Amino acid sequence: EAQVTQNPRYLITVTGKKLTVTCSQNMNHEYMSWYRQDPGLGLRQIYYSMNVEVTDKGDVPEGYKVSRKEKRNFPLILESPSPNQTSLYFCASSRTGTRREAFFGQGTRLTVV
Amino acid sequence: AQSVTQPDIHITVSEGASLELRCNYSYGATPYLFWYVQSPGQGLQLLLKYFSGDTLVQGIKGFEAEFKRSQSSFNLRKPSVHWSDAAEYFCAVAVNSGGYQKVTFGIGTKLQVIP
């Protein structure tokens, strides 16, 4: 089954403790991205990657890092999480080029206390 | 830069009633337009998309949307709502940006369906 898998689904952590949210897709998509979803703000793009070893900032990249060492994986790293990073995070993937809809993971609910 | 406006944050409809969710976009050219649905605890699922051609597009679950260039709108409709349609709906616009497709989402419309 074609899917985007995120782990963990839920995470509660303390301020400053480094964490990683994993994302994996099995569709051989070149393009992957991370979004955060906050009430009243919709989905905002954090980082994206057009292919292996090619990443770039989205609209709200501060406080986040990503890597793309393999085509299928695109982890999101919070080196020193803060409470304002409490949010619902989604990973998405798609083929590159135009007219490509995105496929989304089920989300990771992160709470930073 | 492109933008998407969903003016209704919450909408409540009775089961069996018709539904229209509004979406307006801002972009200099014709963008690619999408509607996604997010059920509670789930990721976003594509309902339908518009790229070109016929301005009335059909999607899954009985939804349709009409692109109106003159109004910069892409409203989502369903003739008869089912209780299972209760979810949050996101309109999105995609434009070509530096070799990739940048997607901007609206803030979402939460649909409540009452018996």
Side-chain angles (χ1 to χ4, degrees), chain A residues 30 38 74-75 94 102 104:
Chain A
E30 299 87 3
D38 302 289
F74 190 45
S94 67
F104 284 82

Side-chain angles (χ1 to χ4, degrees), chain A residues 92-111:
Chain A
S93 74
S94 67
R95 300 295 298 273
T96 51
T98 59
R99 310 184 179 197
R100 305 294 189 185
E101 70 264 27
F103 293 80
F104 284 82
Q106 289 193 296
T108 296
R109 173 78 63 182
L110 172 65
T111 302

Side-chain angles (χ1 to χ4, degrees), chain A residues 9-10 31 35 37-38 40-45 48 50 57-59 88 90 94 96-107, chain B residues 9 32 34 36 38 40-46 49 51-52 88 90 94-108:
Chain A
R9 293 288 310 278
Y10 302 91
Y31 184 79
Y35 294 87
Q37 182 182 7
D38 302 289
L41 297 176
L43 281 83
R44 294 177 293 167
Q45 190 180 53
Y48 65 92
M50 293 180 66
K57 297 177 181 178
D59 298 318
L88 179 59
F90 287 101
S94 67
T96 51
T98 59
R99 310 184 179 197
R100 305 294 189 185
E101 70 264 27
F103 293 80
F104 284 82
Q106 289 193 296
Chain B
I9 297 175
Y32 306 128
F34 305 85
Y36 286 87
Q38 183 183 25
Q42 301 296 315
L44 278 72
Q45 180 185 19
L46 181 71
K49 59 192 176 188
F51 295 142
S52 64
E88 191 158 17
F90 291 91
V95 300
N96 289 322
S97 175
Y100 84 104
Q101 189 168 262
K102 180 171 175 61
V103 182
T104 300
F105 288 86
I107 64 172

Side-chain angles (χ1 to χ4, degrees), chain A residues 76-88:
Chain A
L76 179 69
I77 304 156
L78 284 72
E79 294 271 3
S80 182
S82 62
N84 65 10
Q85 293 179 297
T86 293
S87 187
L88 179 59

Side-chain angles (χ1 to χ4, degrees), chain A residues 3 6 9 21 23 27-29 31-32 35 42 45-46 57 64 66 71 76 78 91 93 95 113:
Chain A
Q3 60 185 0
Q6 295 178 228
R9 293 288 310 278
V21 183
C23 173
M27 295 168 278
N28 202 36
H29 286 165
Y31 184 79
M32 297 184 75
Y35 294 87
Q45 190 180 53
I46 302 170
K57 297 177 181 178
Y64 304 94
V66 293
K71 197 172 188 179
L76 179 69
L78 284 72
C91 179
S93 74
R95 300 295 298 273
V113 298

Side-chain angles (χ1 to χ4, degrees), chain A residues 11-26:
Chain A
L11 179 60
I12 301 174
T13 190
V14 296
T15 299
K17 185 176 181 182
K18 180 179 178 180
L19 66 91
T20 299
V21 183
T22 64
C23 173
S24 180
Q25 50 93 5
N26 62 0

